[in-house]
Amino acid sequence: MIVGGASVAYMGYVHIYQTMVPKDLMIQIPTGSEFDEVIHILDENQLIKNVSVFQELAERMNYIKSPMRSGQFELKEGMGTYDIIRQLRNGPQKPTDLIVNINWTYERAAARISNFVELDSFSLVTTLNDPQLQEELEYNTATAMTLFIPNTYEVYWNTSGADLIRRLHREKKAFWGQNDRTAKAAELGMTRDEVYTLASIVERETNQDTEKQRVAGVY
């Protein structure tokens, strides 16, 4: 009996602490996921050796919630089951680099952004068209595109549409607050939105930096 108990204890130890992550990788847990869905995601990535052991340990570690914690998490090489659960339960999220370029329409911008975050393009466009958010951030459907200042931003993969748009709005304010850009636009007799529109046109006409000034002059 002692030998049998020791054997069971050893097997439990192996399942919990043996290396399950062969190399660094990212795991994305969608918003609203239940525990079974998390099990499926981890199993697809070959990160679970024994589902029963994983579930028992997850219960003991108070990881199981409804819904589960969502986000993008980095699992480091050498992690075992205990480490995986601890990281998914309360470890820091791994931000994603959101690359924003000038696009003709905010629908196209939303489609591109959806490649980097959990949000789909339809949800993002719907949020952009929300009258309450437009009033809060002082933009409208005609000027929504000017929120997308080209740059690379660090954001959380599971950020909400409203939070993402508020972030873009802050970045727009910061952009125009630097180097007297607003004053320079005024010297040209243009508003900030007009400058953005012109930049979008120039970007569409040519991708050659040496030609952009000439194209802008024509318009």
Side-chain angles (χ1 to χ4, degrees):
M1 291 295 292
I2 295 176
V3 173
S7 176
V8 170
Y10 174 75
M11 290 305 296
Y13 177 88
V14 168
H15 286 318
I16 292 170
Y17 292 105
Q18 77 172 112
T19 295
M20 293 302 300
V21 184
K23 61 181 180 180
D24 295 355
L25 78 159
M26 295 294 180
I27 292 294
Q28 295 169 338
I29 308 297
T31 301
S33 294
E34 296 296 333
F35 183 65
D36 287 348
E37 295 170 90
V38 174
I39 290 285
H40 178 70
I41 292 168
L42 297 178
D43 193 44
E44 277 191 327
N45 286 275
Q46 299 181 332
L47 296 172
I48 294 181
K49 188 175 184 66
N50 184 296
V51 172
S52 296
V53 171
F54 185 92
Q55 180 165 351
E56 181 178 351
L57 184 61
E59 290 174 350
R60 289 178 179 233
M61 294 177 67
N62 295 316
Y63 171 55
I64 302 176
K65 307 289 182 183
S66 182
M68 300 294 289
R69 184 188 183 206
S70 65
Q72 175 174 263
F73 306 95
E74 183 178 25
L75 302 183
K76 305 293 286 185
E77 179 182 348
M79 280 185 168
T81 300
Y82 176 84
D83 301 313
I84 292 171
I85 293 174
R86 185 174 59 179
Q87 177 74 341
L88 297 180
R89 183 191 63 189
N90 55 11
Q93 284 201 54
K94 182 70 173 180
T96 188
D97 288 334
L98 171 62
I99 301 173
V100 175
N101 294 323
I102 288 181
N103 288 275
W104 252 139
T105 66
Y106 63 80
E107 288 87 356
R108 285 181 59 185
R112 178 172 177 78
I113 287 174
S114 68
N115 293 324
F116 297 92
V117 295
E118 180 183 18
L119 283 165
D120 60 66
S121 57
F122 177 78
S123 297
L124 186 53
V125 169
T126 299
T127 306
L128 274 165
N129 289 329
D130 180 6
Q132 290 185 335
L133 193 62
Q134 290 183 354
E135 182 178 0
E136 174 191 336
L137 303 181
E138 299 180 338
Y139 74 94
N140 54 48
T141 301
T143 62
M145 193 60 237
T146 64
L147 294 170
F148 298 88
I149 301 296
N151 208 339
T152 299
Y153 306 104
E154 262 197 0
V155 301
Y156 288 125
W157 174 77
N158 64 333
T159 187
S160 70
D163 285 345
L164 178 57
I165 293 167
R166 290 188 182 100
R167 167 69 184 279
L168 293 174
H169 180 260
R170 291 195 301 271
E171 296 292 344
K172 176 183 175 180
K173 289 181 66 176
F175 175 84
W176 285 107
Q178 295 176 5
N179 302 323
D180 297 322
R181 288 187 171 117
T182 301
K184 291 178 181 178
E187 290 175 5
L188 296 172
M190 301 176 70
T191 66
R192 294 181 299 182
D193 291 346
E194 288 171 339
V195 169
Y196 187 96
T197 301
L198 177 59
S200 298
I201 294 172
V202 171
E203 193 70 22
R204 184 183 183 188
E205 293 290 336
T206 180
N207 59 5
Q208 300 295 320
D209 290 340
T210 55
E211 297 179 359
K212 289 180 178 179
Q213 186 172 356
R214 179 180 60 80
V215 173
V218 171
Y219 280 94

